[in-house]
Amino acid sequence: MSRDGWRKKASEDDGWGGRGGYMAAKICKLEEQFQKDAPREKQKDGMSSCIFSGVAIYVNGYTVPSADELRRLMMLHGGQFHLYYTRSKTTHIIATNLPNNKIQELKGEKVVRPEWITDSIKAGCQLSYIQYQLYTKQKGLSFASVCAQGGQDPSFSHGPSKPSTSHPQSHSLKPSHTQTLSKEVLKSTHANHTANVTDRTNHQLDIKLNGITSEEDAERPRVNGIHDGDDDDNACVLLPRGSQDTSLTNGYVHPVNGALKPQDLVSFAEHRPHVVDTGSLQSHLPQAGCWDREEPSCSSAGSKANSHQTSLMSTTSPAKKPDTHNMQKELHPEPTSNPGTSAAPQKGNQTRVPLNGSYHMTPNSFILANSSNQSGSSTAQGAEAGIISEFFSHSRLHHISTWRNEFSEYVNSLQSRRRVAGGAVFSGKEKLKKLKANCSSGSLMAAPQVRQSCILHVDMDCFFVSVGIRHRPDLTGKPVAVTSNRGPGRVAQRPGANPQLEFQYYQRKQKQYRNEKTDNDLEMTPSPQCDEGPSNGVDLDLAALSMAEIASCSYEARQAGVRNGMFFGRAKQLCPDLQPVPYDFQAYKEVALTLYETLASYTHNIEALSCDEALVDATALLVELGVTPDDLARAIREDIKEKTGCSASVGMSSNILLARMATRKAKPNGQYFLRSEDVDDFIRDQPVSSLPGVGRSMNSKLTSLGVSTCGDLQQLSMSRLQKEFGPRTGQTLFRFCRGLDDRPVCSEKERKSVSAEMNYNIRFTQVEEAESFLTNLSMEVQKRLEGAGLRGRRVTLKVMVRKAGAPIEPAKYGGHGICDNFARSVLLAQPTDNGHLIAAEAIKLFRAMKLHVKDMRGVGLQVQQLEGPHADPSGQGASRGRSIKDLLQARQPALSPRKEPLAQDGLTSPSSSRAFSSNQERVTAPSSPPSTSSDPMPGTSKGEFHHPRTPNHVRACLNISIEVPSPSQVDLSVLEALPVDIRKQVEQSWRHREEQPSTSSHLSTPPRTSSPPPAPSLGTLVLQLPNQPGQPCTTGIILELPDFSQVDPDVFAALPRELQEELCSAYRNKGNAQAQGTTVEQKQTFPQLKQPAVGKLKRRYKKRNASPAKKGPSPLKKLFPGNSPAKSSPSKSIPLPLKQQGLKTENVQCPSSPSIDVPETLSKLNPRPVPALAGAYEFSDIRTLLREWVTTISEPMEEDILQVVKYCTELVDDKDLEKLDLVIKYMKRLMQQSSESVWSMAFDFILDNVQVVVQQTYGSTLKIT
Amino acid sequence: MATLTRQDLNFGQVVADILCEFLEVAIHLILYVREVYPSGIFQKRKKYNVPVQMSCHPELNQYIQDTLHCIKPLIEKNEAEKVVVVIMDKEHHPVERFVFEISQPPLLSISSETLLSHVEQLLRAVILKISVCDAVLDTNPPGCTFTVLVHTRETATRNMEKVQVIKDFPWIVADEQEVHMEEAKLIPLKTMTSDILKNSSGGILD
């Protein structure tokens, strides 16, 4: 060997270069020696093979077969043995113990225990080293693993021989045989090393295992797509040691086997006990992988069998392939039956038989069987229209909740009917009375009269079930559950779902709720994760089962541990005989109605708690009848049983709380009268969870306080309870646990909100879908609001959004899974029951939330702050037209029916004043009957116009727009002709008016100085609603009374008395109101001067506040719009010339008035005037003004629009874009909400103009969203 | 109460100080809110009694400070009309502009003691508006940069060329590309008016 050779060697030893040439030479020499010795050794031993060809081992430290022995073995079996580790050449490191730093150093190398070699020699082939690995990279994982090897030699693979199950060494399972595996190793190397080897073998084994003959070959590839590539997985069986490992196992196995699903593994974890319990199997399970090692004498055939065995293990594991399981199930219709049935075709292989049997007990075999069921029951996705009503028609919760309301209504109507009829016939009561009379001599009479109050709590026994089976006597006495699932309780795994994750989430959450488990809350908390679970495995196993909830189950089923609200799949496991019964909402309703009818035949003091549950206040009834509560209860129960065929339980006691508790004791099909003297004893043993209001969280809190029964709770002081739970709840608890409850049985309950919510099957793909869904939901809400006869002001949008990281597809089909809840609400200007309005708001809210529609899982719309149709007519923000009408109706209910004909009368009366009445529709809502209001123009109020106009004035009164002309305008002769009292009032109103200008021109002192009005002005009255003082701008109604002189006495006399009175009082109040009105205007620092030319009510309102800057042009402007045909409604054919004339003269009359004001106010303004709209510059005032404008007028006038545009332009000039933005947005809301399309057009016009200005000023347009 | 007028030497400086301080806060906040820089470099601070985000990246801070230092003389002389924070995408096309329009009243005086707190209230309102402006703005593309533009009067520009306030921190006339935005939409954020200055800020985006 030359030195060059050494050098070369040395350079090859990358990373070990420090050793130098000497070492290289030495290694070379050793290698040579080894090669030389090998044939010699082979000769000596007599048996040799080439098992380890290509394998070069390096022994590190102490090993059980010593390093020398290993060297010898390697010689014999064609391997290499390195005395020095060479990274490039050494393939395996053999060690039993390595220090930590060595492990670090050797990371990535194959460090194998020596058993690998011995076992491989025993097996006659090179085994996969995977399960012999010394360490895993993740130390925390400690999976016991039993790995199987496929035979390398094809000739062996079919060998039917098997090791004896009573192998003497089989019990000596060494801990070292259960190895820890690393994920990486499994993923990367295992497949490479064993795929080829195990392929055929496993295939064969599967066939054997399943007892399937040749057709299986065809079937397998179908159901098991991974056959070729992943078959090596069969060689690996994971046996999680305990529930603790289960969750880890999930992530661990997944990469290895594509077909392996988490829940399968999980379910395996659960079913492991079964496997272990199957007698002889027990010993085989853990040992399967170690036979080779334990059995040195085993022939190659034996090792073959061993590999069979282990493969068998692998397929047996439910952790394997669900598909295979499924196949199994098809082959064995009775999966849970005696394992022996499947053993038959597998003679001579005892070990497989029990394995097979235990295998069948695993639950996963039902998957395909149920998939048809699933597809059959799948409903349309939430995005589709019409789904909402369909959803609600199928939603049990919806029905239950609506019924409750319906029955409350029913009871209400019963009571009101009784009130109307002055008494009702109580057939049941009569019957009972008769009964009592019959046995009057009997014991009934002897019963002591219960004078104290007595509440009956009537509750149907498992209502849904008993209704569901009332025509199916064959099911009586059997465990029955009402559920939507009709299959065997299993569903296929859907892609994207990760039920395990969800369960873990809920479990974590649950743990937060309760520190220790209390069984008592099982009934209270029907959520599935609260069902008791002996191990995690059980709960997690639910994932593979049907997630259909059990709405109700019979008592037989409850005995088996089934609970209401449990998932059907789980229940089916607990109680295999469980019979599913479908929902029958119609029947429920019928029965419930019968129930209520029955109860109502005794008394009307009923409170509907739900469709199957009611409280009856029988105090008076018992006294009247003189029977005991028990008799009454018996009679009621018999009645119910007879009429409905369903049994009911009745609890009786002195209050609601105790009655409900007594019902618990009475159930099933019984009755229990909790006497007041027994209360203390009774309640002491009641669990706290049976108290109303004690839910899961409170229960856990109480548990942490060491309280589980009411008796425990009684030990706590009131102050302690109040400290823990807050003053109210604490007090309630304190009373409840002593059986004290003073809630009355109230048959009428007010609704707080109306809502529709859908959290099932919400899967949107596009925003439009979500929005159209919202629209549909709004229509549903509208339906409900209309049904309840309510309108609401607050709209709340609730959205459930998939929690980040939660699986796309929840465990429950169509369910919402783990979600974050969001809610936004908006307060409407006026109460509504209009679905379109609600939809518009909801969509706005929805957009503001900026959600990812695909993640939406639930949508709910709720309407709160409900009002009855006529409630609170003066409510803030109620639309003007409506509120006025309501106001009148509320104040004069008797008048309201007559109001309209009267108004029509006025219409028909021929009157030239029509010409001036063009602004009428601004005052009244568009819907109100067309009536003309008085024209405010002084020119028109001249004497000659008085009489023809009066009818209109009367109507104007109805519309609360009455004007009083100034004294100078009134024909004195007319005034004198008036009745004395009227004249007085007119004069009085003038006096008030005289004060007005003075107060309005910033005189803080009371109006002592009565300066003559600078211009002929009209009396304008801001009428304060009695309950809304101080807010005339927002809620006050502008009431313009005509001067009293303008009221035609004949017409006045012809008015109904109520109206007359009201008119009079209106005139009387005018003074006060005027004063108030002026204070408001004072705030706005504008003189209270009327523009004589004001042609319209609306305009007058504006004008009154108008800034002087605007006054200049506006009177001129106003002339012509006043004539525009758009303004006057078509019904009024006006002689235009006349009108114009009137206007013009008037304009001429008072040219001075603006000029008077201007200097005065200008001086008060800043040098640079603040942009103002009709005098208002505060945003709130602007808003009020705009709202008034939009809500009171059906068609905007060009000239008004221009005013707004001008204002907006001024805002731009003033660089007050913020306010501009707000104004524009507000207008947008107002105008686009308005029913008239004219308003939308008006807004567009305004916006276009403003945008042009903004574009000019800023180079870009406003973004209006 | 002493009444200061613009003629008093320090009046303009007071205004400029207040405004530059505000602009600094606003720029930091904009950079944070619009995610021009990773949120990691920002620290929560309190200014105007509200939490604001301030970068702690020394070079960025220096840049902002230098910029404002140059702007300050302009504001003092009432020569700056607008200060614009432009957020540009990778191709240096502006995607958003935050425009601070500054207009100082010609004849004004500082008189009251409560002035500062009043101004602070107004500035706070603007800051709060900025901090929530992402609600009305679209998300910016990744890799954005920003620049600060000042709209000045012509004379001011010339002066700036003559006198560099900070050495090696010259101002250049902005490219048309940086100023011009096609089909821009304006979103007014807040307008504040006080005795000493009027400031309206708005965001402009495509």
Side-chain angles (χ1 to χ4, degrees), chain A residues 606-620:
Chain A
I606 304 168
E607 178 178 344
L609 294 177
S610 73
C611 58
D612 68 331
E613 206 181 351
L615 286 169
V616 179
D617 187 349
T619 315

Side-chain angles (χ1 to χ4, degrees), chain A residues 830-880:
Chain A
Q830 58 216 46
T832 185
D833 57 359
N834 184 331
H836 291 293
L837 258 173
I838 295 169
E841 293 297 333
I843 287 172
K844 258 181 246 166
L845 289 173
F846 170 71
R847 286 183 182 151
M849 287 165 101
K850 289 193 173 170
L851 296 171
H852 202 266
V853 282
K854 284 186 182 152
D855 286 344
M856 286 173 69
R857 292 292 180 266
V859 183
L861 268 181
Q862 191 176 43
V863 177
Q864 291 137 301
Q865 300 194 0
L866 300 175
E867 287 174 11
H870 296 295
D872 192 18
S874 57
Q876 207 178 10
S879 94
R880 180 151 300 261

Side-chain angles (χ1 to χ4, degrees), chain A residues 850 1215 1218 1258 1261 1263, chain B residues 101 135 185-186 190-191 198:
Chain A
K850 289 193 173 170
K1215 306 198 173 190
E1218 191 200 3
Y1258 290 93
T1261 51
K1263 186 185 181 188
Chain B
E101 279 205 270
K185 293 278 180 208
L186 187 81
K190 188 76 194 166
T191 301
K198 180 177 175 121

